DNA sequence: GTTTCCCGCCATCCC
DNA sequence: GGGATGGCGGGAAAC
């Protein structure tokens, strides 16, 4: 879809709608992968949303989703309307470190054990947006007081960016290594939320998980016992040493991309079982990576290296400028991510190995 | 039947 | 006022 504005921008809307339509090819994860491969070059400093949308052949709305998540982990930073600065993967460790510190700080203030998850996402009270209580004001330094600012706060509290950060904090601020989205939603929301709110939150978490998965900061997996789908944190420490509960997910897919997923069966029973653990304890239980704890980000590098470079393949939104697979000019290639070996990790799920191999 | 998550409406923000 | 931003949830593909 050579960056064609309209038509290409709606790859599916009409064209693919018929027979060949496949949601897998339009996943946020795949789109994110393409986005990254498109901009993760040396010469790239700023990114225009319109440009990205047209080059990737998607509507702007999708770009916002990706950009919000990427910004949350430091890869991008907003420069101006429609413009973002490309910080690269090298900015991730620092961003994670900041998040960790912030999360720990927040935790301290709150009784640690239990929901540190609610770190700043106290949106739980959500629904009552009009709620004047500043309690839920996110950590973000947002003014508050005026009704408009309250609205803004509320909006921000529910933003994909903040949710992403809180989701990440769930992992880096604790020993939790693996968690299901249901659990994550519960932790982030707190109890007592109706199913509707929960469902919405989980939907957003899926979006986030897809993007983070495509960056290999997390990976989809599931527990052996319940087989309930869950996400495992890879980002910082990469390989988890002991993962008793994990099933060797051979065909892990970077979520979103495609491969839509794993094939485990999910049964109600299972899910309920998994959900059994609630906040406090669960957290601890889920934990797999215990130890190694603190050090964190720094190590990321090594582990990341371990990750295999997998294949890559553009979906419907193959970046127009990016040459077909394997043809990227070497310089971009060059430092896929300063974020050390994230490069190797980065973007596995597609099928052409060649593409990623060249980065190694 | 359930899970996953794309899609685009539309509220809100911002210039 | 209008374009930019992004929350939200319907609904369909995937499982």
């Amino acid at each position: 879809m050579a960056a064609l504005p309209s038509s290409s921008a709606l790859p599916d809307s009409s064209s693919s709608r018929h027979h060949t339509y496949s949601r897998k090819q339009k996943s946020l994860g795949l789109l994110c992968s393409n986005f990254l491969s498109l901009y993760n070059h040396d010469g790239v400093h700023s990114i225009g949303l319109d440009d990205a949308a047209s080059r990737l052949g998607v509507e702007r709305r999708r770009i916002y989703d990706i950009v919000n998540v990427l910004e949350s982990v430091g890869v991008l930073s907003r420069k101006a309307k429609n413009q973002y600065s490309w910080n690269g993967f090298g900015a991730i460790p620092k961003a994670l470190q900041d998040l960790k510190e912030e999360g720990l700080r927040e935790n301290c203030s709150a009784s640690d054990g239990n929901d540190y998850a609610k770190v700043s996402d106290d949106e739980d009270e959500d629904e009552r947006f009009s709620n004047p209580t500043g309690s839920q004001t996110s950590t973000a330094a947002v003014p508050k007081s005026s009704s408009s600012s309250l609205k803004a706060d509320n909006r921000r509290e529910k933003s994909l960016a903040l949710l992403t950060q809180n989701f990440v904090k769930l992992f880096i601020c604790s020993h939790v290594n693996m968690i299901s989205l249901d659990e994550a939603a519960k932790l982030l929301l707190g109890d007592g939320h109706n199913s509707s709110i929960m469902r919405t939150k989980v939907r957003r978490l899926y979006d986030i998980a897809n993007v983070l998965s495509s960056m290999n900061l997390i990976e989809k997996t599931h527990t052996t016992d319940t087989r309930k789908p869950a996400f495992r944190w890879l980002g910082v420490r990469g390989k988890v040493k002991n993962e008793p509960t994990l099933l060797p997910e051979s065909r892990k897919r970077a979520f979103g991309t495609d491969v839509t997923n794993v094939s485990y069966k999910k049964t109600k029973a299972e899910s309920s079982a998994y959900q059994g653990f609630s906040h406090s304890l669960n957290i601890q239980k889920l934990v797999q990576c215990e130890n190694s704890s603190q050090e964190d980000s720094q190590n990321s590098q090594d582990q990341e290296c371990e990750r295999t470079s997998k294949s890559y393949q553009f979906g419907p939104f193959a970046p127009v400028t990016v040459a077909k697979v394997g043809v990227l000019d070497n310089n971009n290639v060059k430092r896929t991510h300063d974020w050390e070996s994230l490069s190797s990790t980065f973007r596995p799920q597609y099928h052409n190995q060649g593409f990623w191999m060249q980065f190694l």
Side-chain angles (χ1 to χ4, degrees), chain A residues 36 70 73 75 89 92 211-217 342 346:
Chain A
L36 293 173
L70 293 180
V73 292
V75 175
F89 286 76
I92 294 179
V211 174
L212 295 181
S213 288
S214 76
M215 297 170 71
N216 261 356
L217 283 179
L342 214 203
F346 176 45

Side-chain angles (χ1 to χ4, degrees), chain A residues 238-295:
Chain A
K239 283 316 189 188
V240 181
K241 302 115 191 281
N242 44 341
E243 9 194 336
T245 59
L246 298 178
L247 285 182
E249 175 119 358
S250 43
R251 69 299 220 40
K252 63 177 105 189
R253 75 169 191 162
F255 201 31
T257 71
D258 102 333
V259 210
T260 313
N261 322 300
V262 241
S263 52
Y264 52 86
K265 231 63 186 135
K266 15 197 162 190
T267 65
K268 261 67 180 323
E270 305 169 343
S271 48
S272 57
Y274 182 80
Q275 299 178 35
F277 42 94
S278 51
H279 304 208
S280 344
L281 54 121
N282 38 12
I283 287 288
Q284 302 296 331
K285 308 221 170 157
L286 301 174
V287 186
Q288 308 297 343
C289 72
E290 58 336 320
N291 37 37
S292 47
S293 48
Q294 322 307 37
E295 28 302 278

Side-chain angles (χ1 to χ4, degrees), chain A residues 134-202:
Chain A
S135 65
Q136 49 210 65
T137 316
S138 69
T139 63
V142 201
K144 65 178 151 193
S145 59
S146 71
S147 63
S148 64
S149 64
L150 281 176
K151 278 185 180 177
D153 286 356
N154 186 272
R155 191 175 168 79
R156 150 117 184 115
E157 285 165 11
K158 297 185 176 185
S159 73
L160 203 63
L162 185 61
L163 182 57
T164 297
Q165 297 191 325
N166 288 336
F167 179 60
V168 168
K169 285 177 185 173
L170 232 40
F171 293 105
I172 63 177
C173 294
S174 71
H175 297 303
V176 174
N177 179 58
M178 186 169 69
I179 189 171
S180 71
L181 297 187
D182 282 350
E183 267 303 311
K186 269 185 222 158
L187 289 168
L188 294 172
L189 283 171
D191 285 319
H193 287 282
N194 63 50
S195 60
S196 169
I197 294 175
M198 215 55 143
R199 222 180 312 126
T200 294
K201 188 62 66 181
V202 170

Side-chain angles (χ1 to χ4, degrees), chain A residues 30 33-34 214 216 252-254 257 259 308-314 325-326 343-360:
Chain A
L30 178 58
S33 295
N34 292 337
S214 76
N216 261 356
K252 63 177 105 189
R253 75 169 191 162
T257 71
V259 210
T308 54
S309 60
K310 309 172 186 173
S311 43
Y312 186 86
Q313 146 182 269
F314 290 124
V325 193
S343 44
S344 50
T345 26
F346 176 45
R347 197 30 330 165
Q349 49 263 329
Y350 300 120
H351 324 326
N352 11 325
Q353 317 232 345
F355 182 80
W356 292 106
M357 292 309 275
Q358 59 184 316
F359 293 125
L360 304 178

Side-chain angles (χ1 to χ4, degrees), chain A residues 113-134:
Chain A
N114 27 5
D115 52 64
Y116 48 86
K118 298 183 58 169
V119 270
S120 53
D121 193 47
D122 266 63
E123 44 174 323
D124 25 290
E125 321 271 82
D126 17 325
E127 285 348 1
R128 49 317 212 36
F129 17 66
S130 37
N131 175 352
T133 68

